Amino acid sequence: DAKTTQPPSMDCAEGRAANLPCNHSTISGNEYVYWYRQIHSQGPQYIIHGLKNNETNEMASLIITEDRKSSTLILPHATLRDTAVYYCIVISRDNYGQNFVFGPGTRLSVLP
Amino acid sequence: NAGVMQNPRHLVRRRGQEARLRCSPMKGHSHVYWYRQLPEEGLKFMVYLQKENIIDESGMPKERFSAEFPKEGPSILRIQQVVRGDSAAYFCASSPPRQLRSGELFFGEGSRLTVL
């Protein structure tokens, strides 16, 4: 079972920042937070991951709270092409022998 | 560097036939995962394989489904005697050897099985 909780859906205006929350209150010290997204009918796409420090790449930023019990994925300037289901996954640093468990995710709709 | 390749992209079978789905992982990747996505539902883990070994098959139905990842060639997900409920998108993902990992999975574009 997924170890994370996400809102089922969110809307965001095009050009604005999209902030997608994820609750992972039972996360343990050796577990990372990963974010993926799935655009309709396509294979899931890796976005970003982090352990405890905030992370940024060309796609997004990941803000992890100090107690690591929650995180927020930020798409700084959402476009229509960012409309997708976003998945927050917690998995151990090693992850060898483990599978990535995808919960229902958050369906983000970017509106013109 | 080619990504994860899945074929066929679309497959139509009649009830009772066999379906074989193939997945070629990214170059240098030695771990393969299979996921199933029913229409309007989320991704469900099926099986995790390393070359010639099944690491975790806890998500595989007990009957009719099997998976392999031989030393040479692609990983194959085989569904025998298909039923309409097997109609779904089947996604394959790969990851590099343990010592090279940063943790992310790389997914293919999926194979869509339709059972008539």
Side-chain angles (χ1 to χ4, degrees), chain A residues 32 34 36 38 40-46 49 87 91 93-104 107, chain B residues 31 33 35 37 40-45 48 50 55-56 58 91 98 101-109 112:
Chain A
Y32 279 79
Y34 281 81
Y36 284 79
Q38 187 177 24
H40 181 63
S41 297
Q42 297 182 20
Q45 176 189 23
Y46 165 81
H49 74 280
Y87 300 98
I91 194 162
R93 180 183 190 139
D94 182 25
N95 81 46
Y96 183 71
Q98 293 183 314
N99 66 79
F100 281 66
V101 177
F102 287 80
R107 185 174 296 276
Chain B
H31 298 259
Y33 302 73
Y35 288 81
Q37 189 168 38
E40 304 303 321
E41 293 190 13
L43 288 154
K44 299 297 182 186
F45 167 78
Y48 167 27
Q50 191 182 2
I55 306 299
D56 181 354
S58 58
F91 289 97
R98 179 180 181 180
R101 288 190 173 189
S102 59
E104 63 263 36
L105 299 182
F106 298 84
F107 280 84
E109 289 304 309
R112 280 151 186 82

Side-chain angles (χ1 to χ4, degrees), chain A residues 1-108:
Chain A
D1 293 325
K3 304 177 188 177
T4 63
T5 304
Q6 299 177 252
S9 64
M10 292 181 64
D11 292 341
C12 176
E14 187 178 18
R16 303 298 292 268
N19 298 291
L20 293 97
C22 179
N23 183 293
H24 31 80
S25 57
T26 60
I27 193 170
S28 60
N30 68 342
E31 289 184 318
Y32 279 79
V33 180
Y34 281 81
W35 283 83
Y36 284 79
R37 72 179 182 184
Q38 187 177 24
I39 297 170
H40 181 63
S41 297
Q42 297 182 20
Q45 176 189 23
Y46 165 81
I47 301 173
I48 199 168
H49 74 280
L51 183 63
K52 55 184 178 181
N53 297 322
N54 297 337
E55 302 288 343
T56 295
N57 63 21
E58 64 279 2
M59 289 183 68
S61 294
L62 174 61
I63 308 298
I64 302 174
T65 58
E66 193 168 341
D67 63 7
R68 304 210 318 123
K69 293 185 177 181
S70 65
S71 61
T72 301
L73 178 74
I74 301 172
L75 308 179
H77 305 287
T79 71
L80 298 179
R81 288 177 294 180
D82 292 322
T83 292
V85 178
Y86 287 76
Y87 300 98
C88 171
I89 300 165
V90 165
I91 194 162
S92 75
R93 180 183 190 139
D94 182 25
N95 81 46
Y96 183 71
Q98 293 183 314
N99 66 79
F100 281 66
V101 177
F102 287 80
T106 296
R107 185 174 296 276
L108 175 68

Side-chain angles (χ1 to χ4, degrees), chain B residues 25-97:
Chain B
M26 287 182 68
K27 186 177 180 180
H29 285 193
S30 56
H31 298 259
V32 164
Y33 302 73
W34 285 94
Y35 288 81
R36 176 166 65 173
Q37 189 168 38
L38 296 171
E40 304 303 321
E41 293 190 13
L43 288 154
K44 299 297 182 186
F45 167 78
M46 298 183 75
V47 63
Y48 167 27
L49 309 102
Q50 191 182 2
K51 284 282 187 181
E52 299 185 279
N53 287 310
I54 296 175
I55 306 299
D56 181 354
E57 58 181 346
S58 58
M60 287 279 272
K62 294 292 185 281
E63 297 178 347
R64 303 188 297 107
F65 284 72
S66 62
E68 62 177 6
F69 187 18
K71 187 176 180 181
E72 301 292 336
S75 175
I76 296 174
L77 180 67
R78 182 183 178 201
I79 311 172
Q80 296 177 288
Q81 299 170 5
V82 296
V83 301
R84 288 211 175 109
D86 297 333
S87 295
Y90 292 83
F91 289 97
C92 172
S94 72
S95 65

